[in-house]
Amino acid sequence: MEIMKISKEEQFDFFRIISGILHLGNMQFQPDRDDQAQLHEKAQQIAEKVCHVLGIPVGEFVKSLLKPKIKAGRDWVTQARNVEQCVYSVEALSRAVYERMFTALVERINEAILTSTAKTTFIGVLDIAGFEIFD
């Protein structure tokens, strides 16, 4: 990463984001009597780790996963989520954060290899979805 002129601070930020995403994968929920999701016993500690590495408040994070506020017409309503919905929310959050981090990384690499001539370089990535070219 240093070859691509990415500073130590930016590298540390990328690693923090990856760490947060990996910890998000360990989040577990359990239903209560009303079939509403609650954090599993160990999930509170995991949520604290996620929030620490991402720099967000724990209470707001947990509340937004379990009982997010949604806009219904002109009013904001708190909606209780079941376990399946919370798992989907965590998965969507993980994908979105990773996608934004990866885009930022590709942009930084493109800045580092940018030349004054016509753009003749690109980054090609082969992943499970197929081959992608990032300009």
Side-chain angles (χ1 to χ4, degrees):
M1 291 177 100
E2 292 172 4
I3 294 172
M4 292 294 150
K5 300 175 184 162
I6 298 174
S7 69
K8 290 281 188 191
E9 184 178 312
E10 286 176 307
Q11 291 179 35
F12 185 69
D13 290 341
F14 285 128
F15 294 141
R16 284 179 31 178
I17 292 169
I18 292 170
S19 174
I21 292 168
L22 292 173
H23 283 300
L24 276 172
N26 295 328
M27 296 281 295
Q28 294 181 350
F29 302 95
Q30 61 189 14
D32 65 4
R33 291 183 183 176
D34 298 328
D35 203 33
Q36 296 177 1
Q38 291 181 335
L39 285 179
H40 193 267
E41 296 170 4
K42 295 181 182 179
Q44 182 64 33
Q45 295 173 348
I46 295 169
E48 290 172 4
K49 289 178 184 178
V50 169
C51 293
H52 175 72
V53 296
L54 296 179
I56 55 178
V58 178
E60 291 294 319
F61 175 71
V62 171
K63 190 166 75 172
S64 67
L65 282 178
L66 300 177
K67 296 182 181 182
K69 289 184 179 181
I70 60 170
K71 191 167 186 174
R74 294 183 182 183
D75 299 326
W76 288 92
V77 180
T78 302
Q79 179 189 33
R81 296 277 172 108
N82 62 28
V83 173
E84 185 179 355
Q85 291 170 325
C86 287
V87 169
Y88 287 147
S89 294
V90 168
E91 290 172 356
L93 177 64
S94 298
R95 281 191 301 268
V97 170
Y98 185 82
E99 187 267 331
R100 288 184 178 111
M101 183 208 62
F102 187 77
T103 300
L105 182 61
V106 168
E107 287 174 2
R108 289 290 290 126
I109 292 171
N110 284 340
E111 286 174 14
I113 61 176
L114 184 66
T115 60
S116 59
T117 62
K119 210 172 200 183
T120 58
T121 57
F122 64 91
I123 297 176
V125 177
L126 179 61
D127 61 4
I128 198 164
F131 190 75
E132 299 179 36
I133 296 176
F134 298 96
D135 295 324

